[in-house]
Amino acid sequence: MPGAPQVPAEVAGRSVRTGAWIDRVNPARTDELVGQATRGDAALTEEAIAAAAQAWPSWWHGGLEERAARLRTGWAAVQEVAEELAVLLCRELGKVLADCHGELAFSGMLLERVLADAPAVLAESETDDGAGRLLVVPEPYGVVAAITPWNAPLVLAMLKVAPALATGNAVIVKPSPVAPLAVTRMLGLLAQALPLGVLNVVPGDLDVGQALTGSSTVGKIAFTGGVETGRRVAEAAGRNVVPLVLELGGNDAAIVLSDADLSDEAVERLILGSFLTSGQVCMAAKRVYVHRSRFDELVERYRACAAGALVVGDPMAPGTTVGPVATAEQVAAVAGLIGDTRARGGAVHELGTVPDADALTAGWFVRPALVTGVDDSAPVVANEQFGPVVPVLPFDSADEAVDRANASDLGLASSVWSADEDRAFALARRLRAGTTFVNTHNRSGMSLRAPFGGVRRSGYGREYGLEGLCEYVQPHAINLPGVLRSGGAGGSSGGRAYPVS
Ligand code: NAD
C-alpha cells in the first residue's frame, strides 16, 4: 500500500506547504490515513488572486496556440503519473478504481475537446458596411475562481480549468476538503507547465471559499456544489456584481413508459444510472417513475439485475462496482432516509451482492437499496438523497409522470425510457430540466458536445459544449457608426441621438 503523501497547494508558481494540513482517511478503511493536502487560508487565497490578476493579461495576449501547447505539456506530465493519481482518488474517495481511471482519462478528453473548440469561441467578428465598422472581440474575464465538490473532483475541476485557461483567463481552484488529494496533485502538475500564477490551487474550507467569493478582483466564479452553498456563493458574489456559473444539486426523475425495453442490458443501464459512485452523482436517477402496467415487472427485473451489477466492497478490488460513501455524514443521511421510509410503511429492498461482509464494517459502506410503497412527499423522493438508495414509484399516465417529475424545485437532469424514440423526445420536451437523457441516465448519457447545467434551483450557466466555453469570454464591441464616417451629421437634435442601424 502506498505511503501517505503530503500534497502542497500551488500558488504563484510555488508549491506551498503552510504547515497546516487537511487529513484524508480512506472511506473503505477509516483507520487508514490516505494523505494530507496543504490547508489553505484567506491569506494564501489573496496571494493566489493577486498572482492570477498579474498573470492573465500576458497569458491571454500570448495567444491560443501558445496556451494550447503549454496545456498539452502539462497534461503529458499528469499522464505520466496516471496510475498513482487513479489509486489516490480511489483511496481518498472510495470511488471504484476503474471509474477513477475513467475520470482521469475523461478529464484529458475534456481538455482536448476544449482546445479543439476554442478557436470558434475566440473568433473575432468584424463587419464593415454602410452601418459603420463593428468589431466584436471575445475577451476573458481575467481572474476565474473555481470552487468544486468532492464527488468527481478531477472532472469537475477540469470542466472549469480547461475552458477558462484556453480562453485566456487565469484560475484559482478551491477543491473540496473531502477529497482534495488527487485533484490538487493533478492541477499542481498542470500548473507547473504554465506561466507563474496562471493556475493556482488552494485546498481549504470556508475561509478559502469566502476569500474567493468576496473578492472584487475575481472576474467570474464557477461553482459546483449543493443548492444551499450555491445560494451563499451567489449572495457573496452579488455584492461585487461578479457573474457566476452555478452547477447545483439535482433530484432527477427517470420516467419509464409502458413500452420501455426492460431487457437485462436496459435495466442494468437504469441501475447504474442511479448507483454509480454509490449514488453520489449530481445527475444520478434519483426517482424512478414507472408506468403501472410495468411496475411489478420492473421491480423484479431491477432486483435480479442488481444482484450482478452491484457488487459492494473494496473499491480497489477488481469486480467491485459499489464502494463506500465518502463521509460518515453520508452514511447517517442515507440511514435516516431508510428509517423514515420504514416508519411510513414503505418497503426497503436490499440490492446487489456483498462478497466479503466483514470487510464492510471497516468503512463507510451503505448497502444499495430500492424503496417502494412511498409517495412523492417522502423525503427519499422529495429530497436529493446523494447516496445508494432509490425510490421506484408507479404512475398511470404520461401527463401525471411529467407533472410529478416537474414538481421538484430542482431541474438538473431527467430521463425518458421508451421503445419509441420520437415518443421519448416528445415527452422530454415537457420536462423542466437542463438535460434529458433518452433510454439511459447519468454518465453513459453524457456527450462532450451537449451543454450541461441546471434550470430553477439546480443553477444556471452551462458546462460542456460550445456553451461551456462561452461562459469564460465576454464580448467587447468596438463600434464606429457609419453616419460619422460618411461625413453625415452626428448631432443630437430631435430623434437623431438614437442609432440609425
Ligand atoms: P458543498 O456545497 O458542500 O461544497 C462545494 C464546495 O463549496 C466545496 O469546495 C466547499 O468547501 C465549498 N464551500 C462551502 N461553503 C462555501 C461558502 N460559503 N463559500 C464558498 N465556498 C463554499 O457540496 P458537496 O457536498 O461538496 O457536493 C455535493 C453537492 O454538489 C450535491 O448537491 C451535488 O448534487 C452537487 N453537484 C452538482 C453537480 C452539477 O454539475 N450540477 C456536480 C457534482 C455535484
Side-chain angles (χ1 to χ4, degrees):
M1 197 46 69
Q6 290 189 325
V7 184
E10 195 71 29
V11 173
R14 291 183 300 120
S15 296
V16 182
R17 292 171 175 79
T18 57
W21 299 101
I22 300 167
D23 293 347
R24 182 60 187 160
V25 299
N26 185 342
R29 274 179 296 277
T30 54
D31 61 357
E32 181 183 299
L33 178 71
V34 176
Q36 297 176 300
T38 285
R39 183 181 288 281
D41 55 19
L44 189 63
T45 311
E46 294 300 344
E47 203 184 313
I49 294 171
Q54 183 138 27
W56 78 262
S58 48
W59 175 243
W60 176 40
H61 292 300
L64 176 60
E65 216 172 296
E66 167 70 12
R67 294 196 292 275
R70 296 275 207 145
L71 285 164
R72 288 195 173 106
T73 302
W75 191 254
V78 170
Q79 278 179 309
E80 277 176 28
V81 295
E83 180 67 27
E84 174 200 323
L85 283 171
V87 170
L88 191 57
L89 182 61
C90 174
R91 292 179 64 231
E92 69 173 323
L93 185 55
K95 188 176 206 159
V96 299
L97 184 58
D99 286 353
C100 293
H101 279 292
E103 185 174 334
L104 183 63
F106 187 65
S107 302
M109 284 168 62
L110 276 172
L111 176 61
E112 272 309 322
R113 179 68 183 220
V114 158
L115 294 178
D117 285 345
V121 169
L122 289 169
E124 299 179 1
S125 73
E126 187 157 6
T127 314
D128 198 345
D129 56 19
R133 182 172 171 191
L134 171 66
L135 175 64
V136 181
V137 184
E139 294 182 352
Y141 284 87
V143 178
V144 168
I147 302 176
T148 56
W150 46 264
N151 62 324
L154 311 185
V155 163
L156 293 168
M158 192 53 92
L159 277 166
K160 299 158 182 62
V161 166
L165 291 181
T167 49
N169 300 275
V171 181
I172 302 113
V173 181
K174 189 205 92 61
S176 163
V178 176
L181 302 174
V183 63
T184 302
R185 173 110 170 89
M186 177 186 88
L187 295 176
L189 288 167
L190 193 57
Q192 284 159 19
L194 310 178
L196 304 192
V198 164
L199 175 58
N200 307 273
V201 195
V202 187
D205 235 309
L206 207 55
D207 49 350
V208 175
Q210 287 176 336
L212 291 170
T213 58
S215 167
S216 57
T217 305
V218 168
K220 180 131 193 178
I221 298 171
F223 172 82
T224 301
V227 176
E228 282 315 311
T229 316
R231 210 187 291 273
R232 285 192 283 278
V233 167
E235 281 166 5
R239 283 196 280 278
N240 288 312
V241 201
V242 175
L244 295 159
V245 176
L246 286 183
E247 297 282 352
L248 308 181
N251 192 8
D252 292 11
I255 299 178
V256 181
L257 296 177
S258 55
D259 65 347
D261 171 21
L262 295 185
S263 65
D264 283 1
E265 205 244 326
V267 173
E268 192 166 305
R269 229 179 302 132
L270 180 62
I271 291 169
L272 293 178
S274 291
F275 289 97
L276 282 172
T277 318
S278 304
Q280 304 164 119
V281 180
C282 58
M283 54 176 172
K286 291 172 182 152
R287 311 174 269 160
V288 179
Y289 291 103
V290 190
H291 191 265
R292 197 176 296 277
S293 65
R294 310 290 300 281
F295 183 80
D296 292 342
E297 180 190 357
L298 178 85
V299 171
E300 189 197 313
R301 308 263 318 109
Y302 201 103
R303 295 176 69 184
C305 288
L310 303 180
V311 180
V312 188
D314 181 352
M316 292 277 282
T320 298
T321 58
V322 180
V325 295
T327 61
E329 290 76 25
Q330 295 292 115
V331 177
V334 176
L337 291 172
I338 298 275
D340 174 85
T341 298
R342 290 204 168 103
R344 58 180 68 228
V348 178
H349 312 271
E350 287 196 338
L351 298 174
T353 51
V354 182
D356 180 0
D358 286 346
L360 303 198
T361 58
W364 293 315
F365 286 92
V366 177
R367 182 74 186 258
L370 185 78
V371 164
T372 54
V374 291
D375 64 29
D376 289 1
S377 66
V380 74
V381 184
N383 301 334
E384 179 184 40
Q385 64 273 55
F386 222 61
V389 54
V390 66
V392 181
L393 308 120
F395 66 84
D396 291 300
S397 71
D399 286 349
E400 177 199 332
V402 167
D403 287 348
R404 289 167 69 187
N406 287 345
S408 171
D409 213 21
L410 302 174
L412 191 59
S414 55
S415 62
V416 181
W417 300 69
S418 168
D420 180 341
E421 204 176 292
D422 291 338
R423 187 180 175 209
F425 270 71
L427 197 81
R429 282 176 177 275
R430 299 171 58 194
L431 294 173
R432 298 180 72 187
T435 293
T436 302
F437 305 109
V438 174
N439 292 338
T440 187
H441 206 123
N442 208 331
R443 289 207 300 259
S444 61
M446 294 298 283
S447 160
L448 287 173
R449 67 183 182 179
F452 182 85
V455 301
R456 312 187 74 217
R457 250 53 68 199
S458 288
Y460 45 79
R462 291 294 180 265
E463 294 187 321
Y464 293 93
L466 288 177
E467 292 85 348
L469 257 163
C470 287
E471 294 286 355
Y472 294 95
V473 291
Q474 50 195 342
H476 179 179
I478 303 168
N479 187 43
L480 172 65
V483 67
L484 298 183
R485 243 181 168 186
S486 57
S492 57
S493 61
R496 307 254 325 259
Y498 284 97
V500 291
S501 61

